[in-house]
Amino acid sequence: MSWIDIGAIDDIPLRGARKVKTKLGCVAVFRTDEATVFATSNTCPHKGGPLNEGIVHDNKVTCPLHNWVLDLESGEALGADEGRIETYAARVENGRVLIEASLLGRQAA
Amino acid sequence: MIQALTHEDVRRLIKSQELQSQEAVWQELGWKTRNGCHVCRPAINYYLIADWPVEYQDDPQSRFVNERKHANIQKDGTFSVVPRMWGGITTANELRAIADAADKYNVPTVKVTGGQRIDLLGVKGEDLPAIWDDLTKAGMVSGHAYAKGLRTVKTCVGTDHCRFGTQDSTGLGIKLEKKLWGSWTPHKVKMAVSGCPRNCAEATCKDVGIVCVDSGFEIGVGGAAGMDVKEVQPLVKVATEDEAMEWVVAFVQLYRENAKYLDRPYKWIAKVGLEWVQETLGDEAERARLVAAFDLSQSIYQKDPWAERAKAEEAKKFAPLADLTLEAAE
Ligand code: SF4
Ligand code: FES
């Protein structure tokens, strides 16, 4: 898989998230631990709430609009709610955050 | 012993065991989750702020989006911006600055609120630091319309202009708002001061409502006009403005120290009893302690969040981390 560097890990607050604009729509990059990140679609499956503004706990985020809780590993809504967000590969290397290059919206050469 | 602690238990233990960080609370009180959830984190963050204003560092990641962004998120993901208008008083200059901001940032809706101020609705998240910078330069501060904290102090025109006025209700409202703004409370706190019992400021349905009479100030507490409608209960009647200020500040601090997160004052009073509140605040030494504790907290927390976030270093956190749509095509 090829990767793209989107910034420093310290630019994402611990237990917080930042938004990344891509050709495939807005992606949220979550930092759930010192050096653990997850990337998902930023759009809540319920009514489109911006997930990068939610409260991050464990490997989950709570949507800021109506409190759906989404699992960042599987992308599934938890509890009684049904829905799913797209998940993307993301990792931390030497203090930099990398996400899968497919998010550039073009075919790898 | 595996028994769920109530919020009141947690508050007591935070004080008695001197727990001064969220990690300490999770560890010492046996949390089952790794780092809490969206329900407990804002509550614990508030309790720590209220009980350890000096020792604890506020954690923005444990706040609901509105308090983290210092603006109210709307259903389409845009935000609303409400500058403070002390006691409902504004000036031509402030109105011009608000009108200019509305033009510059294409604000689709400009609304007069029930709390005697102006709401700019539909501002894009990325524009927040810039619009705050403009409003700050015109001398305005955040109205905390998004906060579990002091919202507005609504006033009538009182003795300044009204023939029925018995006291300077506008002046007292402004003094109260200047004293209390920026403080975090278990839930939002709305106040009002009416210049006579005709009650044009609707003080009798506020968390704290003052009705001026010839002989002084009647302070009522525990009113509400939300999901529940409640009339205030009489707390005390005092003769001077200074006493009115002292009682209101002491009441707010007692509420800050004891109430469960998200209990409005009327809910809290129903649990502890108005008599207990009156007795506690009736003790002069305790009243002085409460006022001193509130002042200490304000020395740290009474600062304008908009001015701080309009600075370049903070403002960039409101922009996307990266914009991959700008990548040059191969
Ligand atoms: S409450 Fe009394 S003093 Fe205030 S505006 Fe109304 S009539 Fe006048
Ligand atoms: S939009 Fe996310 S919970 Fe409703």
Side-chain angles (χ1 to χ4, degrees), chain A residues 12-46:
Chain A
I12 309 176
L14 181 58
R15 295 193 283 273
R18 292 287 297 272
K19 184 167 83 178
V20 175
K21 286 189 175 171
T22 79
K23 289 193 176 129
L24 307 179
C26 284
V27 167
V29 182
F30 300 89
R31 182 183 181 191
T32 58
D33 227 321
E34 285 302 332
T36 313
V37 291
F38 292 93
T40 71
S41 154
N42 195 37
T43 310
C44 178
H46 178 218

Side-chain angles (χ1 to χ4, degrees), chain B:
Chain B
M1 179 214 75
I2 295 291
Q3 207 185 354
L5 297 168
T6 65
H7 280 252
E8 286 78 4
D9 292 334
V10 171
R11 292 214 74 172
R12 191 169 38 74
L13 291 164
I14 284 175
K15 292 181 182 74
S16 66
Q17 298 192 14
E18 302 193 7
L19 306 176
Q20 298 177 344
S21 69
Q22 295 203 53
E23 287 76 8
V25 172
W26 300 333
Q27 200 158 48
E28 298 304 317
L29 305 186
W31 244 245
K32 291 195 205 80
T33 48
R34 175 145 69 104
N35 42 35
C37 68
H38 66 270
V39 179
C40 74
R41 282 249 299 280
I44 301 301
N45 188 53
Y46 167 72
Y47 298 151
L48 291 166
I49 284 172
D51 290 331
W52 306 107
V54 179
E55 297 80 359
Y56 178 68
Q57 277 279 330
D58 179 21
D59 174 25
Q61 301 314 317
S62 296
R63 286 181 174 277
F64 291 118
V65 53
N66 290 352
E67 292 189 349
R68 191 172 345 111
K69 301 279 277 212
H70 293 272
N72 279 318
I73 194 165
Q74 308 295 315
K75 66 176 192 183
D76 61 355
T78 64
F79 290 86
S80 86
V81 168
V82 186
R84 207 167 269 289
M85 285 183 179
W86 309 102
I89 297 290
T90 184
T91 63
N93 272 337
E94 286 183 356
L95 291 174
R96 252 189 299 271
I98 291 171
D100 287 345
D103 277 344
K104 186 167 162 189
Y105 301 98
N106 295 315
V107 174
T109 307
V110 181
K111 168 131 187 24
V112 174
T113 75
Q116 298 185 332
R117 41 203 197 167
I118 292 175
D119 192 348
L120 301 165
L121 292 127
V123 179
K124 287 194 276 313
E126 278 114 287
D127 283 341
L128 288 172
I131 195 168
W132 293 338
D133 195 40
D134 288 0
L135 296 172
T136 302
K137 284 187 178 129
M140 284 176 272
V141 301
S142 163
H144 291 89
Y146 46 80
K148 315 282 181 243
L150 179 79
R151 297 283 181 91
T152 58
V153 183
K154 189 169 179 173
T155 67
C156 75
V157 292
T159 40
D160 265 2
H161 300 277
C162 177
R163 66 203 160 101
F164 297 114
T166 62
Q167 311 280 352
D168 178 12
S169 48
T170 318
L172 178 56
I174 292 172
K175 276 185 203 159
L176 280 169
E177 192 162 349
K178 294 224 157 161
K179 177 87 183 171
L180 295 158
W181 76 278
S183 60
W184 300 103
T185 43
H187 205 307
K188 61 186 170 189
V189 171
K190 298 182 175 180
M191 299 193 182
V193 187
S194 283
C196 84
R198 287 172 189 77
N199 194 19
C200 295
E202 296 160 347
T204 49
C205 63
K206 298 290 186 261
D207 298 288
V208 177
I210 299 179
V211 176
C212 303
V213 290
D214 283 321
S215 53
F217 304 84
E218 291 175 354
I219 304 175
V221 291
M227 301 254 244
D228 296 307
V229 180
K230 301 271 174 204
E231 189 181 347
V232 289
Q233 297 173 272
L235 177 69
V236 70
K237 190 181 158 183
V238 296
T240 66
E241 241 186 46
D242 285 351
E243 288 170 286
M245 293 285 296
E246 184 196 358
W247 275 82
V248 170
V249 170
F251 172 79
V252 169
Q253 180 64 14
L254 193 66
Y255 168 61
R256 295 181 75 234
E257 289 181 6
N258 291 280
K260 174 181 168 187
Y261 190 64
L262 300 186
D263 270 358
R264 286 287 285 271
Y266 74 91
K267 280 201 181 154
W268 168 64
I269 293 169
K271 288 180 185 170
V272 298
L274 182 65
E275 267 163 52
W276 177 79
V277 175
Q278 282 171 322
E279 244 166 60
T280 310
L281 295 178
D283 176 352
E284 211 182 307
E286 178 64 4
R287 222 162 50 237
R289 183 196 70 75
L290 289 163
V291 171
F294 184 78
D295 287 345
L296 173 68
S297 171
Q298 286 295 76
S299 71
I300 293 157
Y301 282 100
Q302 192 174 59
K303 51 184 181 201
D304 180 25
W306 288 0
E308 293 187 320
R309 284 160 186 78
K311 291 184 205 129
E313 198 43 34
E314 290 297 309
K316 69 174 199 238
K317 296 179 187 162
F318 286 77
L321 178 60
D323 188 346
L324 305 184
T325 61
L326 303 176
E327 289 288 311
E330 272 172 288

Side-chain angles (χ1 to χ4, degrees), chain A residues 6-99:
Chain A
I6 52 160
I9 181 73
D10 289 334
D11 288 335
I12 309 176
L14 181 58
R15 295 193 283 273
R18 292 287 297 272
K19 184 167 83 178
V20 175
K21 286 189 175 171
T22 79
K23 289 193 176 129
L24 307 179
C26 284
V27 167
V29 182
F30 300 89
R31 182 183 181 191
T32 58
D33 227 321
E34 285 302 332
T36 313
V37 291
F38 292 93
T40 71
S41 154
N42 195 37
T43 310
C44 178
H46 178 218
K47 292 191 175 172
L51 296 175
N52 67 314
E53 309 288 5
I55 289 182
V56 178
H57 47 103
D58 200 358
N59 289 342
K60 298 177 260 220
V61 64
T62 300
C63 175
L65 290 195
H66 320 93
N67 292 334
W68 276 32
V69 180
L70 297 148
D71 184 313
L72 300 175
E73 281 167 274
S74 66
E76 297 289 340
L78 299 173
D81 301 315
E82 277 182 42
R84 186 170 182 282
I85 42 173
E86 209 53 60
T87 59
Y88 304 100
R91 64 193 178 96
V92 182
E93 198 178 281
N94 300 326
R96 305 295 299 178
V97 180
L98 311 177
I99 59 176

